[in-house]
Amino acid sequence: MKKFIAATIIAGMMVTGFYTISSAADNTPERGFISVSTNANAEISPDTVEINISVKTKDQKSLQKAATDNKLISDKVYGAIKAMINTQNGDYIKTADYDARPIYTYTSNNKKILDKYEVSNSIIVHTKNIDKAGDMIDKAIGLGATDIKDLRFSVSTYEKQCNELIDIAAKKAKTRVDVAAKASGTYITGVKNMNISCSENTSNRVQYRFMAKNAMMMDAAGAVQPEAAPSTPIQSGIVKIYANLNAEYFIK
């Protein structure tokens, strides 16, 4: 019986000690802080463009024939565009997507009927030679490209520009907090937390669509005429880069 009483007393001391420590932690005074949000932005002329070129071919009876026709046109586009870019400057051309499939139609009684076979090859051209973007589009169309989906202009120094804008936003935030703290009779003792982000506007994506009849520009005799249309005018505009900063500073 005595052993049971002793154990009970020890357990009670342990529980009491636990609540004493917890109570001391709860009484820790909360440090004051000031929240601030700032931003910085810059307008920069883009130095890079991505052009999405699509080559679509079709055949009523053979998927192989549609694929072969697509390869012939795509190879010509690849070769011509590759000669217009500078790979040593980071330019490249690549296949973004390739799709080959049958196309079906449905009758009035919902019966599925094979209509044709279609092959699509989507090509991405990435180049810093923005001045030649219009010529590249004209060349691709003249060689049989059927769709220029869009152009996206960007800045190759995005990371550098982002870091510079973050520096500006952070200094702006510190200045504002210093002013507020001084006016309140306090001063900054440290940073509680800080969230930063960078982004660019989406208006630098230019929608450009061209659907060539029968996948080629043809004259009356059926010959391809690459120079039939005037050079496509391309305006790169301005890319806007934004830096946003949200921070909380401890004060005393």
Side-chain angles (χ1 to χ4, degrees), residues 8-22:
T8 303
I9 294 173
I10 293 172
M13 291 174 62
M14 290 175 65
V15 172
T16 303
F18 171 79
Y19 280 104
T20 300
I21 295 172
S22 176

Side-chain angles (χ1 to χ4, degrees), residues 79-142:
I81 300 299
K82 191 171 183 179
M84 301 174 72
I85 62 177
N86 182 2
T87 56
Q88 294 182 346
N89 196 33
D91 293 0
Y92 61 81
I93 179 171
K94 68 176 184 178
T95 297
D97 184 60
Y98 185 89
D99 181 60
R101 60 195 175 95
I103 304 296
Y104 295 94
T105 58
Y106 292 84
T107 63
S108 57
N109 59 354
N110 206 33
K111 181 180 179 181
K112 186 168 70 171
I113 300 176
L114 177 65
D115 178 49
K116 60 191 172 184
Y117 293 97
E118 185 175 270
V119 177
S120 176
N121 186 11
S122 183
I123 302 167
I124 295 293
V125 180
H126 178 98
T127 178
K128 291 182 179 179
N129 197 356
I130 291 181
D131 294 341
K132 295 295 183 181
D135 293 337
M136 293 178 189
I137 290 173
D138 293 341
K139 178 64 71 173
I141 292 173

Side-chain angles (χ1 to χ4, degrees), residues 67-84:
T68 299
D69 291 345
N70 193 286
K71 184 179 185 304
L72 290 173
I73 298 172
S74 296
D75 284 347
K76 292 178 182 179
V77 173
Y78 269 110
I81 300 299
K82 191 171 183 179
M84 301 174 72

Side-chain angles (χ1 to χ4, degrees), residues 208-226:
Y208 180 95
R209 294 192 175 273
F210 175 86
M211 299 300 293
K213 185 177 180 180
N214 297 325
M216 287 189 179
M217 298 177 66
M218 310 288 287
D219 63 5
V224 179
Q225 290 186 325

Side-chain angles (χ1 to χ4, degrees), residues 8-238:
T8 303
I9 294 173
I10 293 172
M13 291 174 62
M14 290 175 65
V15 172
T16 303
F18 171 79
Y19 280 104
T20 300
I21 295 172
S22 176
S23 177
D26 290 342
N27 291 331
T28 302
E30 184 178 349
R31 298 171 66 183
F33 63 89
I34 297 178
S35 300
V36 64
S37 296
T38 60
N39 60 75
N41 61 80
E43 295 184 348
I44 303 169
S45 296
D47 61 357
T48 305
V49 63
E50 281 195 355
I51 309 171
N52 192 328
I53 302 171
S54 181
V55 176
K56 290 183 179 181
T57 52
K58 60 184 179 180
D59 190 83
Q60 301 294 327
K61 299 180 180 180
S62 170
L63 180 61
Q64 181 61 49
K65 178 65 166 57
T68 299
D69 291 345
N70 193 286
K71 184 179 185 304
L72 290 173
I73 298 172
S74 296
D75 284 347
K76 292 178 182 179
V77 173
Y78 269 110
I81 300 299
K82 191 171 183 179
M84 301 174 72
I85 62 177
N86 182 2
T87 56
Q88 294 182 346
N89 196 33
D91 293 0
Y92 61 81
I93 179 171
K94 68 176 184 178
T95 297
D97 184 60
Y98 185 89
D99 181 60
R101 60 195 175 95
I103 304 296
Y104 295 94
T105 58
Y106 292 84
T107 63
S108 57
N109 59 354
N110 206 33
K111 181 180 179 181
K112 186 168 70 171
I113 300 176
L114 177 65
D115 178 49
K116 60 191 172 184
Y117 293 97
E118 185 175 270
V119 177
S120 176
N121 186 11
S122 183
I123 302 167
I124 295 293
V125 180
H126 178 98
T127 178
K128 291 182 179 179
N129 197 356
I130 291 181
D131 294 341
K132 295 295 183 181
D135 293 337
M136 293 178 189
I137 290 173
D138 293 341
K139 178 64 71 173
I141 292 173
L143 291 173
T146 53
D147 192 2
I148 308 299
K149 293 183 179 179
D150 56 52
L151 292 83
R152 185 180 186 278
F153 295 96
S154 60
V155 179
S156 62
T157 58
Y158 174 80
E159 290 299 327
K160 178 177 179 293
Q161 298 294 335
C162 173
N163 291 337
E164 291 178 356
L165 291 173
I166 289 174
D167 181 70
I168 293 172
K171 289 177 179 177
K172 189 188 296 185
K174 179 64 165 52
T175 299
R176 289 182 179 177
V177 173
D178 280 335
V179 171
K182 184 177 180 180
S184 304
T186 60
Y187 59 89
I188 297 174
T189 60
V191 178
K192 183 180 180 182
N193 63 66
M194 184 176 292
N195 296 312
I196 56 176
S197 64
C198 277
S199 62
E200 61 181 358
N201 70 330
T202 56
S203 61
N204 58 347
R205 182 179 291 275
V206 179
Q207 296 296 325
Y208 180 95
R209 294 192 175 273
F210 175 86
M211 299 300 293
K213 185 177 180 180
N214 297 325
M216 287 189 179
M217 298 177 66
M218 310 288 287
D219 63 5
V224 179
Q225 290 186 325
E227 305 300 330
S231 179
T232 302
I234 300 297
Q235 299 295 327
S236 60
I238 295 294

